[in-house]
Each structure stands twice: as structure tokens, then as C-alpha cells.
Amino acid sequence: MPIVNRDNISKLTCGIRYEKTFRISDIAGSLFDTVLHHRSSPFGTEFFPRYQELNSQDRALINSERGYYFRITTSDVIFQYTLHPEKQDLSDEIEWFKNDASQFIINEILEKNSIKNIMRFGFMITHEIDGENLGGNVLDQLTNGEIRNADQFTFRFGNKDTTKEALIRRDVNDYINKITTIKQITESKYEVTLDFQYYFSPELTSIKDWNTESFYTKAFYSLDNSFYDMINPLVSKLVETV
């Protein structure tokens, strides 16, 4: 079985970047109340038991124990969800993230509060794998054996694709950026992430004008049909599996 596959997906993260708007600082309390108390919220006070304020323009609801956070700044809304397959079916958690959590954020946070001019929609699919000395193996090859071990290591690269919209519409230059990251998080554990990003050029006036369901379908198609085929030969050469 390939080292990196759907069975070891550990986190899902969606991030929506919009044109900077300083009124977010004034309405942040209302936005958090919506997340915690709205009758249709898939979250709630048990889901996010703590509030954290880094500064007046960067605030978050967090659940450190479960690995969740909902963060809002003057230019971004970000939701991270850590999966718990020991308690729930993996596919059910993915569907909940796409259809319940993401749609609630789009409808009740962005649309209801007229947060406009969307610049980017990103979706990160993070896997956690066991292994030894990935960084050391890379550095061994790059330095001709001068460095054979690494306590901290991150390997990152990206590539862009033209979108269908950009091909058929003269006034649209949208593109997809696919970023791959391999990151050492402990001595013997690594995170392998596909960051699937859609850039709007020109900016999208309203997120309701965009098909998020199609975006998630394309992201998972890319994961299953190109990402795994690309990443597994690379990881198998670099990681001493345990």
C-alpha cells in the first residue's frame, strides 16, 4: 500500500482570502457569536471552548485538545479541523467539513456580513506518516554526504495550472496553485500536505457566485489522481519507514 493515502489524512483546512477590510475588527465579536450560537451552526461552545486574541486584527476560536481553530483577520477566514477516525468514519468527517462546516462559513460569515472581493480560496489536505530521517536523506544527497541527519526539515514546492474559466473567458485570468509540503513534526513523524489554491483574477465580487462543491471535487480528484502518484515514489525514496 502507498505510504501516503486517504487513510492517513489527519487535518483539513480551508482558507478564504478577501480584500483587506478593517471593519472586520468591529464585527469580529458578532462573527464569533454566529459560529458559537447560531441555530444552524455545526460548531458551538463545546467545539470551540476558548477564545484567543493575538491582536485587534487577528482573533480566533480554538480547541487545543481536539486540534480545531476558526481564525478571522482583516483579510482571511481560516478553519482547521483535525480528523478523529478512531471515533468517526473518515469519509463522513470529510463530507461534514465540505458540506456543513465550509458552507456555514460561506453563507453565515461571508455572505450574511457582505464580505466581498474574494482573492483566493485554499484547501489544505494534510497527511501524517511515520518515518525516519527524511530530511537527512535529502541533505545527504544535496551535500554529497556532508550532512546525514536533520532534526528539523521542510520540503516545499508548487506548480500552477490554468483554469477552465481563464481559457474560455477573455477577461478572466484565474489559476490554480498546487503546493506540496513535507514537514518533519517529531523525530519520527512527518506531515505531507497538498495545498490546493484557487486564485481569482479579477477578484470575485461575491463567494455565492462560485461553485465551491466543484472546487472540492477538483481538489480531491487532484489528490487521488496526481498527488499520490507523484508523492509516494518521492517519499519512499526519502523516508526510512518504521
Side-chain angles (χ1 to χ4, degrees), residues 2-86:
I3 299 169
V4 186
N5 56 66
R6 283 211 186 197
D7 289 340
N8 47 46
I9 294 177
S10 60
K11 288 187 296 192
L12 302 174
T13 308
C14 69
I16 304 165
R17 172 157 291 182
Y18 40 83
E19 185 178 64
K20 181 170 282 192
T21 172
F22 291 100
R23 73 182 178 89
I24 295 295
S25 300
D26 298 327
I27 65 172
S30 174
L31 299 181
F32 288 142
D33 279 342
T34 298
V35 172
L36 295 174
H37 303 296
H38 194 280
R39 64 182 181 277
S40 65
S41 176
F43 308 114
T45 55
E46 291 187 7
F47 194 97
F48 290 122
R50 290 183 54 205
Y51 168 77
Q52 184 178 63
E53 184 172 329
L54 299 177
N55 57 60
S56 63
Q57 299 177 14
D58 191 345
R59 309 173 187 181
L61 298 172
I62 62 174
N63 187 328
S64 300
E65 181 179 344
R66 300 287 286 174
Y68 311 147
Y69 69 78
F70 174 82
R71 180 182 172 194
I72 188 160
T73 75
T74 52
S75 56
D76 295 280
V77 169
I78 304 167
F79 170 54
Q80 178 179 287
Y81 178 69
T82 299
L83 282 72
H84 300 278
E86 74 281 1

Side-chain angles (χ1 to χ4, degrees), residues 5-14 79 81-85 88-103 123-127 212-213 215-217 219-221 223-224 228:
N5 56 66
R6 283 211 186 197
D7 289 340
N8 47 46
I9 294 177
S10 60
K11 288 187 296 192
L12 302 174
T13 308
C14 69
F79 170 54
Y81 178 69
T82 299
L83 282 72
H84 300 278
Q88 190 173 353
D89 183 80
L90 182 72
S91 60
D92 290 342
E93 290 193 278
I94 291 173
E95 290 303 308
W96 174 86
F97 182 94
K98 295 189 304 177
N99 300 327
D100 296 329
S102 292
Q103 289 305 311
F123 178 44
M124 297 173 64
I125 308 168
T126 299
H127 310 70
T212 54
E213 181 178 352
F215 168 77
Y216 280 123
T217 298
F220 277 105
Y221 181 87
L223 182 80
D224 293 329
Y228 289 146

Side-chain angles (χ1 to χ4, degrees), residues 182-199:
I182 304 173
K183 181 179 180 180
Q184 182 177 4
I185 54 174
T186 71
E187 184 177 340
S188 60
K189 286 189 180 296
Y190 294 84
E191 286 184 341
V192 180
T193 301
L194 169 64
D195 187 356
F196 194 85
Q197 304 176 344
Y198 192 106
Y199 282 78

Side-chain angles (χ1 to χ4, degrees), residues 18-19 23 110-111 114-118 204-206 208:
Y18 40 83
E19 185 178 64
R23 73 182 178 89
L110 297 178
E111 279 301 301
S114 299
I115 298 174
K116 306 290 186 179
N117 300 329
I118 310 301
L204 185 67
T205 302
S206 173
K208 72 178 181 180

